[in-house]
Amino acid sequence: MRIILIGLIFLSSLTVFSQNIELIGGVNKNDFFDFQQNEGHFSSSYNSDYGYTMRIGIENIKVDWLTLRFTLGFDKYGGELTASDGGLGGGYTTVAKIDKSVISLGVFPLNFKIINRIDLNFGFEFSGLISENFSGISSGWIMGEPDWSYDLNDKYDRFSSKTYFGLRGRIAYDFNISDKLAISPQYSYYFGLSNEFDEFPEATKSMRHYFSIGLQRKIK
């Protein structure tokens, strides 16, 4: 979260020097996934869920020879999971539904404009957990002992990881409505490289599709 707060202060200082500032709102579709193929007795399945996003973007920031875009955003997303693991002497299964909210700082060092209307942006994003809601059951068995199960809320105060990191790409089409204002329908994709959960299944990642509308204003 410290990185996000520093980013907020940094973005506030950049607004004076930026050429475009953009307000963005839309929906996201989240898919949890396992980055590596399942090994041994581990198995998992995930159900997608829809959430929403709000962002502020600042672009055309000149840093030496680079032209950068920065975003500060809020995402609400989630999904459902079923994961199992074990061996010949026992096994365990977690079934859970998770909804979480994060605040994110995006940095885009690769930015292109096509025919002066289509924006392509590629970069990375740091996120910090704000809040989460989770529900579910963990159950299992050990040879020679009774089966067991418990409610996840009875055992864990927090299920999700505190921080996240991933890659993000964006494509937008600018409709100019005046010399200073433009409306930008856009699609963005996030590919998570860090783990979504601190508890089992710990190696789960997130990929998210974003469908949004932006309102851009030229500062200079």
Side-chain angles (χ1 to χ4, degrees), residues 1 21 27-28 46 95 97 104 129 159 177 179 197:
M1 290 298 293
I21 187 168
V27 299
N28 64 58
Y46 302 97
V95 179
K97 177 177 175 58
S104 303
L129 181 70
F159 197 82
I177 56 179
D179 291 339
F197 310 120

Side-chain angles (χ1 to χ4, degrees), residues 22 170-175 182-187 211-214:
E22 182 179 21
R170 169 184 177 266
I171 182 170
Y173 189 91
D174 300 331
F175 292 96
I183 295 177
S184 302
Q186 55 196 268
Y187 166 78
F211 304 91
S212 308
I213 296 290

Side-chain angles (χ1 to χ4, degrees), residues 8-24:
L8 178 59
I9 297 172
F10 180 61
L11 286 184
S12 299
S13 67
L14 284 178
T15 55
V16 176
F17 306 102
S18 65
Q19 293 185 343
N20 292 333
I21 187 168
E22 182 179 21
L23 298 177
I24 305 165

